[in-house]
Amino acid sequence: MDAVRFAHPEIESLDRDGILAIQKRKLKALGDRLQNSPEWVRHFQKAHMSPRDLGDLDALSSAPTLDKADLRALYPFPMLTTELARVRRFVATSGTSGMPVMFGLTDRDLNQLIPYQMCRILRTAGIVPGDRVYQGYGYGLWFGGLGMDLGLAACGAVNFPIGPGRGDLVVRWLSDHGYTACTVSPLWLMTLVNLAKSQNIDPRKDWKLRVGVFGGQSISAAFRDQLEAEMPAGFMAQNNYGTTEAGGPVVAQSCPYSHDVDEMHLINEDTIITEVVDPATLKRVGPGEIGEIVVTTLDRDASPVVRWRTRDLVKLSNKPYDCPCGRSGLPKIGRIIGRNDDMLKVRGVIVFPTQIEDIIAETEGAVKEAWQIYIDGEQQILEELTLAVERRASSNQTKQDIQHRIAHAIRSRLGIRVSVECHDEGSLPRYEGKAVRVHRRSAKSTK
């Protein structure tokens, strides 16, 4: 394995106490700044606190949490800590469950903070100066493409900012341009693999990809292994995690060592405090336990957040501080298990879509990147659900074989019965960005 390359050795080589000292100093400065904002003062009053109480790290656990309902109540520009004239750009949440929430970025956010954070993200994944990078994340109000562009420039890579789509062209350019890295949805890259094969392009031989940075959605370890097997020898599918509220794809990133155990470093802990807490009690969980990610941004200029509830569930590593890469002050978490609001309860059994994806990825003949869960009605505790998958056109397996194997595996592994529909390859939606896996069908639409 190549030698570890730190983007910021003065930070990444610190032990945990060194990181905590930085967090304490910056948290106090953040509290002093928020004290000048009437909206933030009112928010802290919910917990009978003031922003200046953040002078102590222990006080953070008593601070009120923040979520989209809080910000939507202050539409259209909630909790800005600078005048609007200093904002140079806005980004927004997806708005899949309501009105998108706007977050501002000042010159300092755009030209100093995000490049600093993203350079570390990309270098941790293994991208180095001179790498030719297919940048396939989207633009507009979404943070993905913007964050990657700023990071690629900061780390000295050669950026080809194609964005999502244009598959017929991209599969040729991956060969002709000699891209060595990519930042793209993993589902879209698998779609490109299949498109390339249909054009007699062999990704293993004709592409030069060495590393991919994959965010926007969690993928199963089985799917990751399948994707790596389709790539040139030695290719690593490196997981990335972030949110718009936290400042983009800047929270966590796998390195070549944590990749092998399916974990990521909380890599920017000098600029972001990340708590992993019990969703019910909001108390921090211990190593090996599952909790919700809650983030506090220490350096964001226009739109900081304090104790933002991401609703994303993750397992804190059994050994958070022992990665061979040497980043002992930047703890490790597992891949994202799912969201609180994606969690399904089927006849009393808690199920996450990623658990079902694991089974599909392991099933011979099933298309790994194309599947949907259908729920009939609006009830929260479900009696049954329907799973739609596709049969690979080149497979020797019949649709009935695939349906039976998936249904049997789900029943054996998860303890629930599902109705499995198997369709021809190409029947279900493909996603260039974040996949929507769970769909509720009204009673009318199921008749």
Side-chain angles (χ1 to χ4, degrees):
M1 191 173 292
D2 292 340
V4 174
R5 296 181 176 93
F6 289 167
H8 310 115
E10 72 282 4
I11 300 297
E12 292 171 85
S13 62
L14 290 174
D15 61 15
R16 189 59 181 168
D17 286 341
I19 295 294
L20 291 175
I22 294 173
Q23 290 183 348
K24 181 177 181 179
R25 172 174 54 81
K26 288 189 175 183
L27 190 63
K28 181 181 185 305
L30 175 65
D32 291 341
R33 184 156 61 94
L34 298 185
Q35 192 70 39
N36 297 319
S37 165
E39 288 181 338
W40 276 105
V41 169
R42 285 193 293 271
H43 176 70
F44 272 81
Q45 285 173 348
K46 297 175 184 177
H48 307 289
M49 295 177 64
S50 78
R52 285 208 176 96
D53 292 330
L54 295 179
D56 186 340
L57 273 174
D58 292 337
L60 183 63
S61 61
S62 300
T65 59
L66 189 67
D67 60 27
K68 284 181 180 163
D70 297 310
L71 299 187
R72 285 178 177 143
L74 298 170
Y75 176 88
F77 307 120
M79 290 180 152
L80 282 178
T81 53
T82 186
E83 59 270 23
L84 190 59
R86 290 189 60 236
V87 175
R88 292 294 167 263
R89 179 174 179 144
F90 275 96
V91 292
T93 58
S94 62
T96 53
S97 59
M99 180 72 76
V101 176
M102 293 287 180
F103 292 85
L105 301 170
T106 64
D107 279 335
R108 181 177 176 277
D109 292 326
L110 282 168
N111 298 318
Q112 296 181 41
L113 177 60
I114 299 171
Y116 172 83
Q117 294 171 321
M118 286 303 304
C119 180
R120 189 182 300 172
I121 287 281
L122 297 172
R123 190 62 60 82
T124 301
I127 293 178
V128 298
D131 265 329
R132 304 177 192 180
V133 184
Y134 159 41
Q135 202 307 91
Y137 284 114
Y139 293 92
L141 283 170
W142 194 51
F143 221 137
L146 169 66
M148 290 298 174
D149 281 358
L150 293 170
L152 290 169
C155 75
V158 183
N159 185 10
F160 294 81
I162 301 165
R166 306 181 77 182
D168 288 328
L169 191 58
V170 170
V171 296
R172 289 293 307 274
W173 280 354
L174 279 161
S175 300
D176 298 344
H177 292 175
Y179 303 146
T180 54
C182 61
T183 62
V184 65
S185 157
L187 299 177
W188 177 240
L189 186 59
M190 184 65 89
T191 299
L192 291 176
V193 167
N194 295 321
L195 182 58
K197 291 178 178 179
S198 73
Q199 298 181 12
N200 296 316
I201 297 171
D202 184 349
R204 294 185 188 92
K205 298 178 181 178
D206 299 328
W207 294 355
K208 296 179 175 61
L209 289 175
R210 189 187 75 257
V211 61
V213 179
F214 300 116
Q217 63 201 63
S218 180
I219 59 170
S220 68
F223 184 95
R224 184 196 67 186
D225 292 344
Q226 291 278 343
L227 184 58
E228 289 183 338
E230 298 286 356
M231 294 288 111
F235 176 86
M236 279 193 177
Q238 297 280 31
N239 278 338
N240 168 269
Y241 171 72
T243 70
T244 298
E245 301 84 4
V250 297
V251 177
Q253 177 63 52
S254 61
C255 72
Y257 292 94
S258 60
H259 160 277
D260 292 344
V261 291
D262 203 19
E263 294 183 332
M264 300 176 285
H265 286 278
L266 295 172
I267 199 67
N268 279 307
E269 285 275 280
D270 59 321
T271 58
I272 301 169
I273 294 177
T274 310
E275 303 171 78
V276 183
V277 304
D278 182 302
T281 66
L282 298 180
K283 302 296 184 183
R284 291 203 184 211
V285 303
E289 296 180 338
I290 292 173
E292 178 185 338
I293 293 177
V294 174
V295 296
T296 296
T297 57
L298 295 170
D299 289 351
R300 281 185 76 176
D301 203 2
S303 294
V305 296
V306 175
R307 305 203 80 202
W308 175 266
R309 296 195 63 173
T310 67
R311 308 293 175 178
D312 292 322
L313 299 175
V314 74
K315 179 181 177 181
L316 185 61
S317 174
N318 289 315
K319 296 181 178 179
Y321 303 104
D322 73 340
C323 187
C325 76
R327 297 179 177 92
S328 61
L330 303 172
K332 294 178 297 178
I333 57 173
R335 63 182 167 91
I336 304 303
I337 297 169
R339 291 179 54 82
N340 289 351
D341 42 12
D342 279 347
M343 184 178 73
L344 306 173
K345 185 173 283 190
V346 184
R347 295 186 177 180
V349 178
I350 292 175
V351 178
F352 289 99
T354 52
Q355 294 174 295
I356 292 175
E357 182 183 57
D358 279 333
I359 292 170
I360 295 170
E362 295 167 359
T363 303
E364 183 181 355
V367 176
K368 317 304 179 189
E369 69 272 20
W371 55 277
Q372 307 275 274
I373 295 171
Y374 296 113
I375 298 171
D376 298 330
E378 298 299 325
Q379 68 273 23
Q380 296 303 309
I381 300 178
L382 308 171
E383 290 299 314
E384 61 183 26
L385 53 82
T386 300
L387 175 63
V389 299
E390 291 182 353
R391 172 188 171 274
R392 182 79 65 195
S394 59
S395 174
N396 294 325
Q397 303 294 314
T398 68
K399 290 182 180 178
Q400 290 74 23
D401 287 339
I402 293 171
Q403 288 174 185
H404 173 75
R405 290 181 181 182
I406 291 175
H408 177 74
I410 291 174
R411 185 167 64 253
S412 299
R413 194 177 303 181
L414 305 182
I416 62 171
R417 295 179 183 272
V418 300
S419 175
V420 181
E421 302 172 352
C422 191
H423 302 269
D424 292 329
E425 186 172 1
S427 302
L428 299 175
R430 264 55 175 178
Y431 297 94
E432 298 168 0
K434 185 179 293 187
V436 180
R437 294 305 193 191
V438 181
H439 298 261
R440 288 192 178 269
R441 302 186 294 195
S442 67
K444 183 183 295 184
S445 68
T446 61
K447 293 180 179 179

